[in-house]
Amino acid sequence: RPPTMGAGSKFPYPKYVWAPAGGWWADPPNWRRNTAVAFGILAASTAYVWALSAANERRPNAATKPLLSELWAKYALVDRAEAAAWHKQAKQA
């Protein structure tokens, strides 16, 4: 019989010990749903911050080379004339 990985089988443990991480063998109910909800909230928060950043991004000093964020920044074409040509080229590709 091949050796088992890990600590072996479960053993009796004291029920009066409380652990914030869930105890010895943590297997909370609905953990898949809870993980999906947490990642959904994370994705929604990231999308909100991304949109807010793109709407408010301004560059008082022009960049020396094209920046990727100039493709979605609202004021990129206003702040830098060269960005318009790069933006047009990127849309055609």
Side-chain angles (χ1 to χ4, degrees), residues 4-83:
T4 59
M5 297 292 290
S9 63
K10 293 183 178 180
F11 53 86
Y13 61 91
K15 303 288 186 193
Y16 59 87
V17 176
W18 178 81
W24 273 262
W25 300 283
D27 189 19
N30 304 322
W31 70 267
R32 285 184 179 90
R33 180 189 55 100
N34 295 343
T35 303
V37 168
F39 276 113
I41 291 171
L42 180 65
S45 302
T46 302
Y48 175 73
V49 171
W50 182 296
L52 188 67
S53 172
N56 295 321
E57 181 178 351
R58 296 300 301 257
R59 297 201 178 272
N61 298 327
T64 58
K65 60 182 179 179
L67 300 172
L68 187 59
S69 67
E70 289 177 342
L71 291 176
W72 56 78
K74 182 178 178 181
Y75 296 105
L77 303 178
V78 176
D79 291 341
R80 191 172 126 177
E82 302 90 34

